[in-house]
Amino acid sequence: MKSFIRKRVAAYLIAGLLCMLLGSTKVSGAVPNKLVVETLRLNGNWTLKNKNGSLTLTAAVPGCVHSALLKQGLIQDPYYRFNDLEYRWIALDNWTYSRTFSLSSELRKRKKFNLVCEGLDTVSTISINGVAIGKTDNMFRRYTFDVTGLLKENNVIEVSFLSAVAYAAQQSAAHTSYKVPPDCPPAVQKGECHANFIRKAQCSFSWDWGPSFPTQGIWRAIKVEAYDVFQLTYLTTTPVYVSKNPSINQWSVEVELFFDVAEMAVGHVTLLIPQLETQKTFEATLQPGLSRSTFLLPINKSMPVEPWWPNGQGNQSRYKLGVMVKTAGGHTLEAQTMVSFRTVELVQEPVAGSPGLSFYFKINGRPVFLKGSNWIPADAFQDRVTPDVLRRLLQSAADANMNTLRVWGGGIYEQEEFYDICDELGIMIWQDFMFACALYPTESSFITTVREEVIHQVRKLKSHPSIIIWSGNNENEAAIATDWFNVPLSKRQIYRNDYVTLYVNNIREIVQNEDKSRPFLASSPTNGDESVQEGWIAQNPYDPHYGDTHFYSYLEDCWDWKLFPKTRFASEYGFQSWPSFSTLQKVKYPSSSLHPDTPSLKSEKQYQPCNHGYYRYQSADYWMMCFDVLLPLLSVSPSLCVCAQVMQAQCVKMQTEFYLRSRSEIREGKGHTMGALYWQLNDIWQGPSWSSIEYGGKWKMLHYFAQNFFAPILPVALEDEEILLIYAVSDLQKDVSLSVVIKVYQWNSMEPVYVFASNSTEVQAGSATLAYKEPVKELLGRCGNCTRRSCLVTFHLEESGGQLGPANYHFLSSPKQAEGLQKPKLSVLLKRFSPLATVEQQGGQYTVNLQTNAISPFVWLDAGDISGRFETNGFLMLTKNMTVTFYPWIPTSTSQLAKSLQLTSLMSLS
């Protein structure tokens, strides 16, 4: 008891000290007369002018030119109809931001002044009081300019931007020794050229799912920092796990403090984590200039440390770490950050029964199957991406049982709130560096700015436990290996050398120096260690025996699992669909029925090459099923939007389930799949794409399907040589004994014609286990008059008589060939009109009561413009009555929801 009391007293004392030290969460502290750094933030309203002065307006900072013009009513919504083309002039002009600011007499007494620019987009010259202080050429860098001696009581700052389009063209033209492809995007994308010559979001020059908006502006914070002795520029934490004795788990935290020092200072650094009763003080000497101080804080051995786990694997534990720096001269700096304890290992080792190497992640020593998607920028204009927008998208990922997102290399390094939310939700991040689908120059100036970019981003982001891997680029190893750009054989070595120079000798070198706690890959896809052995560019980076793969096939049957690569890790795969009709209408198409051949669709919102993507699905069996049901439908209507989402959802479901069940088996030397990240999670605007969440946050049918196929435990079926196989796929942390319950239905009846429960099968934690196997012919032989066309199979898993995980289904033929599939009478009404089908409010959510008179595949509820999500959607309705919960994200009412609600199923789309 005395020991317990001593520990509690110690904890209270440390907690009290932390409260005194950390009265503010900001690095710039709050101790009178001992303040190290004072900050004058320059966010807010600036004046914005174009090059010839014909436009002058007020512009918000952070922000961009397009947003300022829109807010002042000088342009319409850039996403409206053809405005991405109509407003091209904005990106071709040069723009200048300016404002005045004042310094108090007290602030002017400081000895050192820095202008800190967290994000300038992209090529600019900065001046203060008419004196040029520096230039920028990289939107991903933090720029710090010494402005000591330039500042007065009243000051004028100007940031003059050069058109990113013009700059990229100039840089390309100056590179005369050899071409660096690609010059321009495909013509169908309506984009700008030479994106690879500027350190800017590559997709801002257009992509196959998004528009060309090469923005200019001050897109992140800008401020003046004043101090006398030193300032803290970065504070990073890295958990270090030590286990010399198997019976003792010991953690330490490596804390790095990066300083900009004006004059030498001697003092002490105190680090403390009150929750773990841990504190230690270190001596420190700060030399003038930029410096790094590293300290190792051992965690109190008597305190249990709760590790950080991915979503679905455990808790996302985080601890506050306090820092106090105190010099002999009485200068004090206080800061705090969060630290999480977790380890990550990328395992690449021989696989029994297979050539090649494994490719999977261990988190805290536990193999984890990575389930999730790929993230692109949530808007072409980053000032519109608020913390609420990020929260909704990331919460939607977690709600769909995802544990991983890949931040794709053609976009941006996301804002701090993005990674904070991922830390909180347990969403692991595969972090690309921002290079994608192109070759890049390697002149010294380009390498220099890239090095500064990488150093900054790693230091800024490395403390986040959610980030589990750094990857050098998107698809550039494959671009060289498979000769995307038709490079003559005699010149290919030039580009291979450039590749190694950029991603290996520079980016990899920096990452290994700055962050030894995570693995690094030079590219995605890649063969990993095998690519390294082959000089960093493998002969076939898509080899399923190694690394990760990207796979797309639109001309083959997406129902046929034998066409999918049995890869070690699937980091990209997917199918397109239209967004909902209500989302399309937000960009104000000219009619309520939109023909896909109209210019507004083919040119404005659909930038995928090869017949603009839309017709690419018509050869797939599932897409043809939709057309068989809908013909003679000729226009983009609500029905076609739903049907396209059915196709997308079912195709991605089939492929994802293939990867999920491949985790524990090797077939023909392939398998042991340990990751499925489909392309893509979110949209950048209101157009057809591969996303599962529409622009604005609305879930497509695919996202509802993901909620099931990424469930912690689920049954998955396939047919192989006329034999039905059902696997139990488990991400649970314990072994379970499960039986498979099978129900066979005739399409024309809502009563099963056959019900069967298998014997129990032991399913190990984190595995896919074959739980049922039977020839289809034998199964149907016990079901009366069932045939492949007249019947379907549903199934679920049970533990001790109770259902565990979602139910699933297996179509014995394509629904377009189904016999007895009827057009159902689906209904949902207000309670006062009907006691059988109702919409009712229950607290902050709503229940929607459905009824049908026939089996209804892919029942779809659409709440129109009422923002929110349903508990489930796109489901197979096998009962006459069903209740579904709606979770609104905005205030609504029973009558509003009932009025907006639309209810369809596959057979009612025509």
Side-chain angles (χ1 to χ4, degrees):
M1 178 62 72
K2 290 181 180 178
S3 175
F4 172 80
I5 292 174
R6 283 197 298 269
K7 289 181 179 179
R8 293 301 97 196
V9 170
Y12 293 144
L13 290 174
I14 294 176
L17 177 60
L18 181 68
C19 289
M20 288 189 293
L21 294 182
L22 307 177
S24 169
T25 60
K26 298 177 181 178
V27 170
S28 52
V31 181
N33 302 321
K34 296 182 179 180
L35 193 63
V36 170
V37 180
E38 285 190 278
T39 300
L40 176 63
R41 301 190 183 279
L42 300 180
N43 295 349
N45 288 331
W46 290 52
T47 296
L48 177 64
K49 293 182 180 181
N50 66 339
K51 183 178 180 179
N52 65 12
S54 59
L55 286 174
T56 302
L57 60 148
T58 300
V61 170
C64 70
V65 174
H66 288 79
S67 295
L69 292 169
L70 177 63
K71 186 175 182 180
Q72 296 298 323
L74 297 173
I75 62 172
Q76 293 179 309
D77 180 357
Y79 287 175
Y80 171 73
R81 298 198 69 200
F82 297 104
N83 282 345
D84 59 319
L85 305 179
E86 293 292 329
Y87 297 153
R88 185 171 178 259
W89 61 269
I90 299 172
L92 299 180
D93 206 344
N94 300 330
W95 298 83
T96 297
Y97 284 76
S98 63
R99 64 163 288 172
T100 61
F101 65 94
S102 300
L103 299 182
S104 67
S105 57
E106 284 299 313
L107 188 60
R108 294 200 304 277
K109 293 178 182 178
R110 295 292 183 180
K111 297 178 180 178
K112 181 74 180 288
F113 295 84
N114 285 336
L115 176 70
V116 180
C117 308
E118 297 287 351
L120 297 177
D121 181 16
T122 294
V123 183
S124 73
T125 300
I126 304 102
S127 65
I128 290 182
N129 298 327
V131 178
I133 62 170
K135 296 178 180 291
T136 73
D137 62 2
N138 189 326
M139 75 177 290
F140 305 126
R141 285 178 57 181
R142 172 197 288 172
Y143 287 91
T144 300
F145 302 103
D146 187 346
V147 293
T148 307
L150 287 178
L151 300 182
K152 304 176 292 187
E153 179 177 1
N154 297 307
N155 304 274
V156 177
I157 181 172
E158 285 191 348
V159 183
S160 299
F161 289 97
L162 173 67
S163 164
V165 177
Y167 174 84
Q170 292 169 8
Q171 296 301 111
S172 176
H175 193 283
T176 57
S177 54
Y178 56 92
K179 296 179 71 67
V180 183
D183 286 337
C184 301
V188 68
Q189 291 180 199
K190 308 292 191 295
E192 302 293 353
C193 299
H194 311 299
N196 51 340
F197 276 89
I198 184 170
R199 293 308 300 141
K200 178 175 174 59
Q202 301 290 272
C203 65
S204 68
F205 277 47
S206 83
W207 217 261
D208 55 7
W209 37 253
S212 175
F213 284 113
T215 48
Q216 296 177 47
I218 305 172
W219 75 297
R220 287 186 171 162
I222 183 168
K223 56 194 174 183
V224 173
E225 293 184 340
Y227 57 99
D228 292 325
V229 181
F230 64 91
Q231 69 172 152
L232 183 64
T233 56
Y234 300 96
L235 164 59
T236 73
T237 62
T238 303
V240 179
Y241 182 72
V242 181
S243 183
K244 296 180 180 179
N245 186 330
S247 63
I248 300 176
N249 294 333
Q250 177 61 51
W251 286 94
S252 297
V253 181
E254 183 182 86
V255 180
E256 290 185 296
L257 305 178
F258 296 83
F259 296 102
D260 186 354
V261 182
E263 59 183 56
M264 190 179 79
V266 177
H268 297 86
V269 175
T270 299
L271 307 176
L272 66 159
I273 305 177
Q275 292 167 277
L276 298 177
E277 299 180 8
T278 294
Q279 178 181 347
K280 188 172 182 180
T281 298
F282 305 84
E283 293 184 355
T285 299
L286 306 182
Q287 298 292 341
L290 300 178
S291 69
R292 169 195 282 182
S293 298
T294 303
F295 308 97
L296 192 64
L297 176 65
I299 302 302
N300 187 338
K301 295 181 180 180
S302 65
M303 297 298 295
V305 174
E306 187 173 351
W308 182 96
W309 288 100
N311 183 31
Q313 296 285 319
N315 296 327
Q316 289 75 53
S317 301
R318 296 179 293 169
Y319 298 87
K320 287 183 179 179
L321 182 144
V323 179
M324 172 180 266
V325 183
K326 189 171 183 178
T327 70
H331 297 281
T332 302
L333 178 143
E334 301 164 7
Q336 73 173 13
T337 189
M338 303 299 294
V339 61
S340 295
F341 296 88
R342 71 102 185 88
T343 62
V344 57
E345 180 185 1
L346 175 57
V347 181
Q348 300 182 75
E349 59 188 14
V351 178
S354 172
L357 300 172
S358 65
F359 191 92
Y360 68 93
F361 290 84
K362 280 186 177 180
I363 306 298
N364 302 323
R366 179 191 300 168
V368 175
F369 191 102
L370 272 56
K371 308 182 296 186
S373 189
N374 286 259
W375 175 274
I376 66 169
D379 205 294
F381 312 107
Q382 280 296 308
D383 50 287
R384 303 203 295 204
V385 184
T386 65
D388 287 343
V389 169
L390 292 175
R391 168 71 63 175
R392 184 168 296 169
L393 288 169
L394 293 172
Q395 185 65 59
S396 292
D399 289 344
N401 295 305
M402 296 183 184
N403 62 23
T404 306
L405 291 174
R406 174 173 170 255
V407 177
W408 169 74
I412 63 168
Y413 306 94
E414 284 294 332
Q415 53 189 284
E416 198 75 16
E417 289 84 353
F418 174 90
Y419 301 97
D420 288 339
I421 296 170
C422 289
D423 292 346
E424 175 192 334
L425 297 177
I427 298 176
M428 296 179 286
I429 297 299
W430 175 310
Q431 180 66 56
D432 281 0
F433 289 98
M434 294 300 119
F435 302 85
C437 299
L439 307 182
Y440 289 87
T442 55
E443 287 94 341
S444 60
S445 59
F446 189 86
I447 292 296
T448 297
T449 194
V450 168
R451 288 184 65 88
E452 291 298 323
E453 166 192 329
V454 173
I455 290 170
H456 169 60
Q457 294 298 336
V458 173
R459 290 178 182 176
K460 186 181 74 169
L461 299 177
K462 65 175 287 190
S463 299
H464 291 280
S466 53
I467 299 176
I468 62 167
I469 189 169
W470 303 104
S471 178
N473 65 73
N474 173 77
E475 298 183 346
N476 293 344
E477 178 185 344
I480 294 176
T482 59
D483 194 23
W484 286 11
F485 306 117
N486 300 312
V487 175
L489 185 63
S490 62
K491 296 185 178 296
R492 290 180 188 175
Q493 191 59 43
I494 295 174
Y495 302 103
R496 297 177 72 93
N497 293 342
D498 282 355
Y499 181 93
V500 173
T501 295
L502 179 57
Y503 302 113
V504 181
N505 298 340
N506 284 282
I507 295 178
R508 177 175 176 268
E509 175 191 279
I510 292 168
V511 171
Q512 290 186 330
N513 182 57
E514 295 288 338
D515 181 15
K516 296 180 176 64
S517 70
R518 294 174 178 85
F520 172 85
L521 294 172
S523 186
S524 174
T526 182
N527 289 351
D529 285 351
E530 175 61 22
S531 288
V532 176
Q533 293 299 315
E534 295 183 43
W536 298 97
I537 300 174
Q539 183 176 357
N540 175 21
Y542 297 99
D543 190 334
H545 300 96
Y546 303 92
D548 68 314
T549 60
H550 298 183
F551 176 79
Y552 298 92
S553 177
Y554 307 125
L555 302 179
E556 297 175 300
D557 183 2
C558 67
W559 286 46
D560 186 355
W561 61 269
K562 294 180 181 179
L563 299 175
F564 305 138
K566 205 171 183 66
T567 177
R568 304 294 194 220
F569 193 106
S571 52
E572 273 195 35
Y573 59 97
F575 295 84
Q576 281 190 341
S577 74
W578 292 104
S580 62
F581 197 73
S582 61
T583 295
L584 282 175
Q585 286 182 310
K586 286 182 174 63
V587 291
K588 297 182 180 178
Y589 288 115
S591 71
S592 61
S593 185
L594 307 173
H595 194 285
D597 284 329
T598 60
S600 62
L601 288 181
K602 290 189 70 174
S603 299
E604 178 191 351
K605 297 294 179 187
Q606 175 52 287
Y607 288 168
Q608 167 65 11
C610 188
N611 291 326
H612 304 272
Y614 178 79
Y615 297 106
R616 299 181 70 168
Y617 300 111
Q618 294 189 26
S619 61
D621 183 53
Y622 205 81
W623 188 241
M624 289 303 296
M625 177 273 295
C626 282
F627 272 81
D628 281 357
V629 171
L630 294 172
L631 287 177
L633 186 69
L634 297 176
S635 59
V636 178
S637 64
S639 291
L640 187 58
C641 289
V642 173
C643 195
Q645 291 198 25
V646 170
M647 180 282 306
Q648 179 197 37
Q650 185 68 12
C651 289
V652 175
K653 173 182 184 290
M654 297 289 287
Q655 193 166 355
T656 304
E657 290 181 348
F658 167 78
Y659 296 134
L660 290 166
R661 67 173 173 77
S662 297
R663 70 172 70 185
S664 301
E665 68 179 15
I666 296 292
R667 286 193 178 193
E668 298 178 350
K670 302 173 186 177
H672 197 28
T673 306
M674 285 297 288
L677 310 179
Y678 66 77
W679 184 270
Q680 65 206 62
L681 181 78
N682 56 311
D683 259 331
I684 199 169
W685 70 341
Q686 309 95 329
S689 80
W690 293 258
S691 75
S692 65
I693 301 178
E694 301 174 7
Y695 181 81
K698 186 183 232 179
W699 289 20
K700 290 183 179 178
M701 192 178 294
L702 170 56
H703 207 77
Y704 288 101
F705 275 37
Q707 194 174 23
N708 283 339
F709 61 61
F710 283 147
I713 192 161
L714 78 155
V716 173
L718 75 147
E719 279 190 55
D720 191 10
E721 303 297 332
E722 302 289 325
I723 297 174
L724 178 63
L725 307 169
I726 298 179
Y727 288 73
V729 178
S730 173
D731 278 319
L732 302 179
Q733 282 82 64
K734 63 176 183 177
D735 298 346
V736 288
S737 182
L738 301 173
S739 60
V740 180
V741 176
I742 296 174
K743 296 181 181 181
V744 180
Y745 289 84
Q746 289 186 325
W747 283 110
N748 62 5
S749 173
M750 304 186 77
E751 293 296 327
V753 295
Y754 178 70
V755 179
F756 169 77
S758 72
N759 294 327
S760 293
T761 300
E762 284 295 315
V763 179
Q764 294 183 348
S767 73
T769 303
L770 182 62
Y772 171 83
K773 179 179 181 180
E774 184 177 19
V776 173
K777 185 176 181 179
E778 293 182 15
L779 175 62
L780 293 180
R782 297 196 299 274
C783 303
N785 297 322
C786 266
T787 66
R788 281 188 171 274
R789 293 193 175 192
S790 66
C791 291
L792 72 151
V793 179
T794 69
F795 48 94
H796 64 267
L797 299 172
E798 288 192 357
E799 180 186 32
S800 302
Q803 182 171 333
L804 195 63
N808 210 336
Y809 54 84
H810 178 67
F811 295 151
L812 297 169
S813 67
S814 172
K816 72 176 183 179
Q817 300 171 330
E819 296 174 354
L821 183 56
Q822 304 171 30
K823 186 172 183 177
K825 293 181 179 178
L826 284 163
S827 61
V828 54
L829 300 170
L830 281 171
K831 185 174 182 179
R832 64 177 180 269
F833 295 143
S834 168
L836 300 177
T838 65
V839 176
E840 300 178 74
Q841 184 172 3
Q842 294 185 351
Q845 59 197 41
Y846 297 81
T847 57
V848 180
N849 299 304
L850 310 175
Q851 61 179 183
T852 184
N853 65 343
I855 289 179
S856 303
F858 308 111
V859 174
W860 182 245
L861 298 99
D862 190 332
D865 289 334
I866 299 178
S867 184
R869 72 170 181 89
F870 292 91
E871 169 192 10
T872 185
N873 214 343
F875 48 83
L876 176 65
M877 189 169 176
L878 297 164
T879 58
K880 293 181 179 180
N881 298 284
M882 183 175 177
T883 298
V884 177
T885 301
F886 178 72
Y887 305 100
W889 295 331
I890 59 174
T892 187
S893 66
T894 300
S895 58
Q896 287 176 324
L897 179 58
K899 183 178 179 180
S900 297
L901 192 63
Q902 295 184 4
L903 179 63
T904 58
S905 75
L906 183 66
M907 297 305 295
S908 60
L909 289 175
S910 57

